[in-house]
Amino acid sequence: LSMAFFDKFGHTIYELGTDQILVRDIIQSVRFDFNENDESTLFEEYRVQDDEKLENIAYNFYGSSDYHWVLALVNNVLDQNNNLPKSDAILRRACVALYSNVDGIHHWESSANPGEWVDEFFVESFPVTNIEYMTQLNEDKRYINILKPIYLTNFVSSYFDQLSGV
C-alpha cells in the first residue's frame, strides 16, 4: 500500500493537550457488527506484548503495517497509547504520576466475588492497591482479535464500499 491509500479517509480534529491536530479518520461512519459466531470463523485471538503497536502486529499478520487501521477498527482501539498494554516500568511510572503512592489502597473487593467492589467495612473483603488495579486494567487490554488474513481483502473492499456509499 502507498500513502495514497490513506487519502481515501476523511479528516478529523484530534486534541493533544492544548494542541489540535488534523488527522485521518479511519472510523468515520462505517461500522461492522460481528456476532459471536463470526468470531471463531473470522478472527483469531492474539496476546499483545508489552508496548507492542498495531503497526507491528499488522506487519506480522498481513505483511504490511499499512493495515494497522483494520486491527484498530475491529478492536475499537481509538488510541494505541491508552488502549494497548504497557510494560511494567511504564505502568509503574503512570501509577506514580496518577496516585503518587503505588501501594496505596485503590479500592476493596469482595473475597467471595473478586472483582466486585465493596466498602472497606464489608466483612469478607480485601484491599486492592493502586498498582494492582492499574495492572489489572493493563491486562484487560492484553488480548485483541486479529481478522484472519484470508478475509483481509474482502474486509478492506467492503469498508471502502461503505465509505463511498456503494
Side-chain angles (χ1 to χ4, degrees):
L1 294 174
S2 68
M3 288 307 289
F5 169 80
F6 291 99
D7 291 342
K8 298 176 183 178
F9 297 106
H11 289 91
T12 190
I13 300 291
Y14 180 76
E15 294 188 20
L16 183 62
T18 58
D19 296 330
Q20 292 187 335
I21 303 168
L22 187 66
V23 296
R24 292 289 178 182
D25 183 3
I26 67 165
I27 305 298
Q28 295 188 6
S29 61
V30 177
R31 293 287 182 255
F32 293 92
D33 295 319
F34 302 107
N35 63 42
E36 289 180 24
N37 295 333
D38 293 334
E39 288 190 21
S40 63
T41 305
L42 298 174
F43 302 102
E44 65 181 83
E45 188 175 69
Y46 178 75
R47 186 179 192 278
V48 179
Q49 301 303 306
D50 290 344
D51 302 318
E52 189 173 26
K53 298 295 180 198
L54 295 179
E55 289 83 357
N56 304 104
I57 299 168
Y59 182 82
N60 290 337
F61 278 86
Y62 306 132
S64 173
S65 61
D66 288 341
Y67 291 114
H68 70 279
W69 65 271
V70 172
L71 299 173
L73 195 62
V74 300
N75 290 285
N76 198 28
V77 173
L78 301 177
D79 178 1
Q80 290 194 68
N81 291 325
N82 292 310
N83 295 131
L84 295 176
K86 306 263 183 258
S87 67
D88 289 341
I90 291 174
L91 191 66
R92 184 166 282 282
R93 282 196 301 271
C95 188
V96 167
L98 192 58
Y99 299 111
S100 69
N101 180 3
V102 295
D103 296 319
I105 296 173
H106 185 273
H107 66 273
W108 294 77
E109 292 186 9
S110 165
S111 298
N113 191 14
E116 178 185 349
W117 290 23
V118 295
D119 186 274
E120 68 182 284
F121 301 109
F122 191 76
V123 176
E124 295 182 22
S125 64
F126 62 93
V128 175
T129 65
N130 293 319
I131 193 64
E132 289 170 334
Y133 173 68
M134 288 189 69
T135 298
Q136 184 56 53
L137 291 178
N138 196 52
E139 288 305 305
D140 291 346
K141 301 171 186 176
R142 183 73 58 196
Y143 292 92
I144 64 170
N145 285 320
I146 304 289
L147 180 70
K148 291 180 181 176
I150 62 171
Y151 300 115
L152 182 64
T153 302
N154 287 340
F155 181 88
V156 170
S157 295
S158 175
Y159 180 86
F160 287 114
D161 286 349
Q162 285 188 46
L163 276 181
S164 63
V166 173

